Amino acid sequence: MDKVFAPWRIEWVEREETNPDVDCVFCAFRAGDDDRANNLVARSDHAFVLLNNYPYNPGHVMVIPHTHTGEYGDLDDETLLDHARLKQRTFDALETALSPDAFNAGLNLGGSAAGGSIDDHLHTHVVPRWNGDTNFMPVISDTKVIVEAVEETYDRLYAAFASQDGTTAPEDGAVRIE
């Protein structure tokens, strides 16, 4: 059995199910009142940026439209444009915060066959990549090591979004993208 020591994950593992009746975790996070605890780092009029709780790499985020749908064609023009602009701002913030060499970005559309674990609320994954981030661990040992705690990544990404023009950075919530 492969084991990787990640003590920062215990808070997630031992968390209490605060609302097991939630229909959509993304809608619940958007409506929640504790952005920091939910890892919601930035908001715009029609979308928001959420750090992935199970990141492939540090800085792995999802850009999520407010509209609850699994169908890309259901998004109106205003939501599509806002979602695209927020993705652009997300790339900029990730470059400022983490200086990756590249990105993978994409949607899992079409249900479980597309590989997504949440298929009824579409979202765009943005994964920072670095030259050499695939090393012997995943290749030989089938084990991925995440080198930074999600909470530390949140702080760095929050500061990067807050440094952009046209933002408001409240002390108790996500950066607001104007």
Side-chain angles (χ1 to χ4, degrees):
M1 172 184 285
D2 297 324
K3 295 179 186 167
V4 175
F5 183 65
W8 55 272
R9 297 288 296 145
I10 195 66
E11 289 180 25
W12 176 257
V13 171
E14 292 181 342
R15 75 190 186 288
E16 290 185 28
E17 293 294 329
T18 56
N19 191 353
D21 298 324
V22 169
D23 289 328
C24 174
V25 67
F26 293 154
C27 290
F29 285 153
R30 181 178 61 85
D33 58 3
D34 193 346
D35 291 343
R36 178 72 170 99
N38 291 329
N39 292 323
L40 197 155
V41 71
R43 293 177 181 266
S44 63
D45 288 341
H46 300 281
F48 60 99
V49 180
L50 185 69
L51 277 163
N52 195 311
N53 282 325
Y54 300 103
Y56 292 120
N57 273 340
H60 177 177
V61 297
M62 296 167 288
V63 182
I64 306 167
H66 293 177
T67 305
H68 179 86
T69 182
E71 300 296 326
Y72 198 71
D74 288 349
L75 300 180
D76 61 35
D77 289 346
E78 195 171 11
T79 301
L80 284 168
L81 180 59
D82 188 68
H83 184 250
R85 284 187 173 151
L86 188 53
K87 284 186 289 188
Q88 187 177 48
R89 300 288 290 262
T90 299
F91 290 128
D92 292 344
L94 286 166
E95 285 174 357
T96 298
L98 302 173
S99 301
D101 296 317
F103 296 97
N104 290 125
L107 297 152
N108 297 334
L109 299 173
S112 60
S117 60
I118 298 175
D119 56 9
D120 61 343
H121 195 140
L122 67 87
H123 51 284
T124 302
H125 289 266
V126 178
V127 181
R129 299 299 307 269
W130 290 267
N131 293 324
D133 67 10
T134 299
N135 58 26
F136 75 95
M137 289 296 285
V139 173
I140 303 297
S141 301
D142 197 29
T143 302
K144 178 71 175 167
V145 178
I146 306 301
V147 299
E148 182 174 67
V150 172
E151 294 81 8
E152 291 174 24
T153 304
Y154 183 99
D155 292 339
R156 292 179 1 144
L157 191 54
Y158 183 95
F161 270 113
S163 72
Q164 295 178 353
D165 290 338
T167 64
T168 305
E171 290 184 25
D172 61 348
V175 173
R176 177 74 182 134
I177 309 292
E178 304 300 329

